Amino acid sequence: MTETIRIDVHLHEGALASFAEDVRSGLGSDPKAIPPKYFYDARGSELFEQITTLPEYYPTRVEQSILDAAGAEIIERVQPAEIVELGPGSARKTDALLRPMVESGAGTRYVPVDVSETAVEQCARRLAAQYDGLEIHGLVGDFELHMDRIPPAPGRRLVAFLGGTIGNLDEPDRARLLKALQSELGTEDRLLVGTDLVKDRAQLEAAYNDAAGVTAEFNRNLVHVINANLDADLDPDAFEHVAFYNESERRIEMWLRAREEMNARIDALEMDVGFEPGDEFRTEISCKFTRETLEREYRAVGLEPLAWYTDPDELFALSLTGPAT
Ligand code: AVJ
């Protein structure tokens, strides 16, 4: 067998330093907030996989159904030589794009870019076994920082950013990321983004407050990540999971709220942190979009909306864009 998997890790050096810095500034800011990308250690990635199978968490299933229906058409339209995927996680949904790309004969390479090393390794191994001759070049890193490390394409490139993960970024950060992507795209390259859509509060809130409590465990996992990486002694079970829809900001917010008074030590930061009962810090935003709000954001960074794919209930959407000419 020829070697078709290569994985470059760009995370080790700066990663711990930026996590430490984000926790320090995040716990010192008002409101307190830590970026959601740090959820995804091995356990966090596993918990997120469980979330995607929960009855209340519709985005993964609905996006899959849209991809199953439109994947072949998207590939035919773009005719990519490679797919670069930002934040693939398990990359299970990507099959709906990879299969038609490989079958078209034009596509030869898949480049998963994820902060989770285990996610990149596992999806690379699975896909290499599944698609004979597909070259896989994984990058372990933060796509907000390592965009320029993506190797040059052998032809037309389709950049996929699925799952609604772009909603983890606030509008300025989205504009920065989209602008960075736009500037990397050649005239024939395309960007495919999955976004959760604005809908009624009850359905949104149920998706982030599942009855089985998996999302609560996922949320509290951030405390484990802080303890493990920064030599801290926060008690995860002393925090309550809070998730609600902030309608004026069009986003789900997740918070961790102290149930009791707590004094903790973060050794790596030489920092003492105190919590009064009810004190909270934000762990995630998950922004929801309409076609109008999203297309305005695309145009603002020189991306032209080319196609819009949604499900019959308009719960979730995939949008295809390319550099404006
Ligand atoms: C992976 C960022 C798309 O925002 O819905 C799921 C993460 N958080 N449940 C989302 C998540 C809580 C998810 N994304």
Side-chain angles (χ1 to χ4, degrees), residues 76-275:
E76 200 181 323
R77 185 176 175 138
V78 179
Q79 299 189 6
E82 75 167 14
I83 293 173
V84 173
E85 183 168 15
L86 309 182
S90 69
R92 234 175 299 280
K93 286 174 297 204
T94 318
D95 280 307
L97 296 169
L98 283 175
R99 189 171 308 109
M101 180 184 82
V102 170
E103 282 170 2
S104 79
T108 55
R109 190 164 71 174
Y110 176 59
V111 182
V113 186
D114 205 291
V115 284
S116 164
E117 188 163 1
T118 51
V120 172
E121 271 166 12
Q122 283 170 20
C123 92
R125 216 174 303 129
R126 178 176 69 83
L127 294 170
Q130 196 166 328
Y131 296 102
D132 201 26
L134 181 68
E135 182 198 337
I136 298 177
H137 190 152
L139 298 180
V140 180
D142 181 342
F143 48 70
E144 285 185 86
L145 304 176
H146 300 298
M147 200 75 84
D148 56 331
R149 311 281 177 91
I150 300 173
R156 242 175 248 161
R157 170 180 279 170
L158 176 61
V159 179
F161 191 18
L162 304 177
T165 305
I166 195 169
N168 274 173
L169 305 176
D170 63 15
E171 191 170 351
D173 285 345
R174 289 198 295 275
R176 248 187 302 278
L177 178 69
L178 289 172
K179 183 72 210 160
L181 286 169
Q182 188 269 359
S183 69
E184 297 278 325
L185 293 180
T187 34
E188 302 298 316
D189 295 345
R190 297 292 178 257
L191 174 65
L192 183 70
V193 177
T195 46
D196 198 9
L197 300 178
V198 169
K199 61 183 61 61
D200 71 270
R201 169 185 296 276
Q203 192 173 5
L204 281 169
E205 292 188 341
Y208 294 84
N209 289 285
D210 64 281
V214 183
T215 307
E217 258 331 284
F218 174 75
N219 195 4
R220 278 191 282 268
N221 189 54
L222 189 62
V223 179
H224 290 283
V225 174
I226 293 172
N227 286 345
N229 291 285
L230 301 178
D231 301 316
D233 62 359
L234 287 90
D235 176 6
D237 295 323
F239 291 94
E240 180 187 357
H241 165 71
V242 176
F244 61 90
Y245 185 52
N246 179 336
E247 200 160 344
S248 61
E249 299 283 345
R250 291 193 168 121
R251 67 189 190 197
I252 287 283
E253 298 184 7
M254 293 209 315
W255 296 73
L256 286 171
R257 181 186 293 157
R259 299 183 207 270
E260 58 206 52
E261 190 185 322
M262 234 182 302
N263 289 297
R265 171 79 182 167
I266 305 179
D267 258 341
L269 302 180
E270 296 181 354
M271 187 177 175
D272 295 304
V273 276
F275 292 90

Side-chain angles (χ1 to χ4, degrees), residues 40 48 51 57 59 163-165 168 207-208 215 218 254 284 286 288:
Y40 302 92
F48 178 68
I51 287 174
Y57 193 76
T165 305
N168 274 173
Y208 294 84
T215 307
F218 174 75
M254 293 209 315
E284 182 173 53
S286 186
K288 310 305 170 188

